[in-house]
Amino acid sequence: DARVTQTPRHKVTEMGQEVTMRCQPILGHNTVFWYRQTMMQGLELLAYFRNRAPLDDSGMPKDRFSAEMPDATLATLKIQPSEPRDSAVYFCASGLPGQGNIQYFGAGTRLSVL
Amino acid sequence: SQQGEEDPQALSIQEGENATMNCSYKTSINNLQWYRQNSGRGLVHLILIRSNEREKHSGRLRVTLDTSKKSSSLLITASRAADTASYFCAHTGDQTGANNLFFGTGTRLTVIP
């Protein structure tokens, strides 16, 4: 059963600490997306990659957030330093452009910054 | 912003009734999709309708698309308690070759047993 895997599922950290979230896209998918979901802002696109190259990271605060794809099977989203306003659920999704841009979501990482 | 908007924000119905959710968007599109999100879970793709289609069915789901009005609707017939979830529309943008989707604000559906 192909699925997008995100780790960790939950993360509680203190303000100022570094947070790294990981995502394993579905094997063969060449587009990867990072989203943040909060009650106030809804679902926000932070960044997306195609063939491991970043295509759009305009939704991401550049001073503290960074997103990378070290290889085709791993995408990372890092926050350094973290702040309480970063508390949210972070989702990773992957897809194949030839499939109408359908996206397959992971279960998310629930981040709480105290 | 190219984010779509959904209406209503929340909907509560009795099991067996039909549920209709609406979505509006602002740009030209290649396709429009609907996703479901159960509480505490990721979004799951339900159905895709292309810009040259007007209606599409999948099981108890019926989606319509009116590109002249830049709107879509999702109808769930004979609702069940298990349909309780948030429903999001998402559309491709107007940039050629872009792969990202613009998600709406979602409709929270509660089906009362």
Side-chain angles (χ1 to χ4, degrees):
Chain A
D1 183 27
R3 64 180 66 186
V4 175
T5 303
Q6 289 187 247
T7 57
R9 289 295 314 279
H10 303 274
K11 176 73 176 178
V12 180
T13 190
E14 293 187 346
M15 183 173 63
Q17 296 297 305
E18 178 179 298
V19 175
T20 298
M21 290 168 272
R22 293 177 174 80
C23 168
Q24 181 176 354
I26 293 173
L27 189 64
H29 283 186
N30 67 342
T31 54
V32 175
F33 305 84
W34 282 106
Y35 292 91
R36 175 172 62 187
Q37 187 177 41
T38 61
M39 289 295 293
M40 292 299 295
Q41 300 296 328
L43 196 65
E44 302 174 278
L45 177 67
L46 296 175
Y48 90 91
F49 295 77
R50 185 168 65 207
N51 296 323
R52 295 177 55 200
L55 287 194
D56 186 354
D57 61 1
S58 59
M60 198 166 66
K62 304 291 192 307
D63 56 337
R64 299 184 299 109
F65 285 61
S66 61
E68 296 180 344
M69 281 202 72
D71 61 61
T73 64
L74 177 65
T76 63
L77 179 66
K78 187 175 296 185
I79 308 174
Q80 167 64 19
S82 58
E83 298 180 0
R85 58 179 168 153
D86 300 329
S87 296
V89 182
Y90 291 82
F91 288 103
C92 172
S94 71
L96 271 177
Q99 292 183 353
N101 292 340
I102 293 172
Q103 295 184 13
Y104 299 81
F105 281 73
T109 294
R110 183 174 294 276
L111 174 65
S112 296
V113 183
L114 306 176
Chain B
S1 169
Q2 296 193 50
Q3 185 180 36
E5 292 187 5
E6 294 182 60
D7 165 54
Q9 289 188 336
L11 179 61
S12 185
I13 60 174
Q14 295 288 330
E15 199 166 31
E17 294 181 339
N18 296 342
T20 299
M21 289 158 268
N22 303 296
C23 166
S24 61
Y25 57 92
K26 299 174 185 176
T27 68
S28 58
I29 62 171
N30 291 318
N31 67 58
L32 185 140
Q33 305 174 29
W34 287 87
Y35 289 76
R36 182 185 70 214
Q37 184 180 30
N38 289 89
S39 181
R41 310 291 291 272
L43 279 72
V44 175
H45 177 261
L46 294 175
I47 193 168
L48 178 153
I49 185 165
R50 301 190 189 284
S51 59
N52 61 353
E53 297 176 309
R54 292 297 168 259
E55 188 170 309
K56 199 161 185 180
H57 297 253
S58 177
R60 293 184 296 113
L61 305 180
R62 173 179 169 250
V63 170
T64 62
L65 179 64
D66 187 335
T67 52
S68 66
K69 294 181 180 178
K70 291 186 167 54
S71 67
S72 174
S73 68
L74 171 67
L75 169 67
I76 304 174
T77 60
S79 63
R80 306 167 180 168
D83 294 329
T84 294
S86 292
Y87 292 82
F88 295 85
C89 66
H91 65 86
T92 55
D94 53 7
Q95 287 186 300
T96 303
N99 305 122
N100 55 311
L101 295 174
F102 296 91
F103 283 85
T105 50
T107 293
R108 174 70 187 169
L109 173 66
T110 302
V111 181
I112 302 167

